[in-house]
Amino acid sequence: MKKRLDQLLSSLGYGSRRELKSIIHSGAVTIKGQRVSKPDTKVEHAEVHFRGEPLDPPEGMVIMMNKPLGMVCSHDDTEGELVYALLSERYRQRSPKLSTVGRLDKETSGLLLITDDGKLIHALTSPKKRVFKRYEVSLAEPMNGEEAELFASGTLMLKGEKSPCLPARLSVYDEQHAALEITEGRYHQVRRMFAATHNRVTALHRSRMGGLELGELKPGEYRLLSAEEISLCSEEFSS
Ligand code: URA
């Protein structure tokens, strides 16, 4: 779909419409290799280059980040240092805004998706869709051996909740380390599930969402996902 050049560039975070007017006049923008001077020229995203580079992806982009410990998944910086601060200035200036797909706690690390696609956020966070997330868990105490059955049963009631947790899968590595796969995203869910067994989570890291693995990204690093990878994230629990 064709858009006004200045509108397209400002929605992608390249500057305000006013700033872009002079940037475009300076000859920094080309369309199919030709310099353009009119900000209201109608263009296709793919034909535009900015200072010789193709544009950032159009609306519908999805970023995978390895969320570091200590940062918050919020747009409100009174809650602490925001994960968005790790993104490039241009990504931070985009409209529609980039938002996290659900949240990880401040003290949880690992796979975090960030997108401007509201429908995708809904599709991946809706409890009706049983998209599973895998968490690597370290515990303060040895497990009692009954956790896997309890978590799988679909009967575990968390304090203050009206319905039990949906069945979850526990893979035990050793007495104090395990991976837990859940399909919901209740507040502090993994920590509260272990609290219900009189244990305490000392470290929590999300390693996977559906068929998408975090892979080699270091804490604080991020990268764009391909269309194929985006479809992997919505893989549901097989029972
Ligand atoms: N469960 C938690 O307790 N915390 C998270 O960040 C994610 C799942």
Side-chain angles (χ1 to χ4, degrees), residues 1-238:
M1 200 189 54
K2 291 207 177 214
K3 279 192 178 169
R4 267 180 70 127
L5 177 61
D6 56 352
Q7 274 173 359
L8 173 68
L9 291 174
S10 80
S11 73
L12 298 177
Y14 285 84
S16 66
R17 299 265 294 276
R18 213 169 125 200
E19 287 161 349
L20 285 163
K21 200 172 168 189
S22 59
I23 295 174
I24 292 167
H25 273 297
S26 77
V29 182
T30 57
I31 299 171
K32 293 187 191 157
Q34 301 294 313
R35 279 192 183 172
V36 62
S37 58
K38 288 196 181 137
D40 63 354
T41 313
K42 290 281 199 316
V43 295
E44 294 280 358
H45 178 280
E47 35 184 60
V48 182
H49 280 66
F50 189 93
R51 302 205 165 108
E53 299 287 330
L55 296 185
D56 288 347
E59 199 177 326
M61 70 187 276
V62 183
I63 291 168
M64 174 167 70
M65 177 185 281
N66 183 352
K67 177 196 170 293
L69 294 173
M71 296 188 93
V72 294
C73 298
S74 165
H75 285 291
D76 174 5
D77 62 10
T78 60
E79 294 179 32
E81 209 184 342
L82 309 182
V83 289
Y84 303 105
L86 295 166
L87 299 179
S88 73
E89 175 66 17
R90 270 215 301 269
Y91 283 179
R92 283 187 272 141
Q93 297 303 328
R94 285 172 70 107
S95 167
K97 250 186 188 169
L98 289 165
S99 295
T100 62
V101 177
R103 289 180 174 211
L104 289 176
D105 300 337
K106 190 171 183 178
E107 294 314 329
T108 301
S109 58
L111 197 166
L112 180 67
L113 298 183
I114 301 177
T115 184
D116 54 7
D117 182 346
K119 282 199 189 123
L120 182 73
I121 295 182
H122 179 74
L124 293 179
T125 53
S126 160
K128 285 195 198 117
K129 302 265 166 53
R130 303 211 311 145
V131 173
F132 73 90
K133 298 123 211 161
R134 183 180 177 100
Y135 293 90
E136 310 296 327
V137 186
S138 302
L139 294 161
E141 307 293 336
M143 282 175 270
N144 61 32
E146 291 170 7
E147 292 84 353
E149 202 179 323
L150 176 65
F151 295 164
S153 69
T155 62
L156 174 62
M157 286 294 286
L158 297 177
K159 264 192 198 157
E161 301 265 347
K162 294 201 176 71
S163 59
C165 291
L166 289 174
R169 255 191 318 237
L170 186 73
S171 311
V172 173
Y173 301 139
D174 63 36
E175 285 187 326
Q176 285 172 246
H177 298 92
L180 181 61
E181 291 177 341
I182 60 174
T183 60
E184 304 169 280
R186 301 186 193 209
Y187 180 68
H188 288 175
Q189 182 166 343
V190 174
R191 294 174 202 276
R192 289 163 71 213
M193 287 173 75
F194 280 99
T197 70
H198 309 288
N199 211 328
R200 185 168 58 81
V201 171
T202 55
L204 191 57
H205 175 82
R206 183 156 70 191
S207 55
R208 187 170 169 154
M209 270 182 84
L212 181 73
E213 305 243 16
L214 179 60
E216 298 300 304
L217 286 178
K218 298 202 173 64
E221 287 183 349
Y222 62 90
R223 68 174 176 85
L224 282 174
L225 292 187
S226 65
E228 198 182 328
E229 288 175 314
I230 296 169
S231 64
L232 281 179
C233 335
S234 44
E235 200 173 282
E236 298 186 18
F237 234 21
S238 57

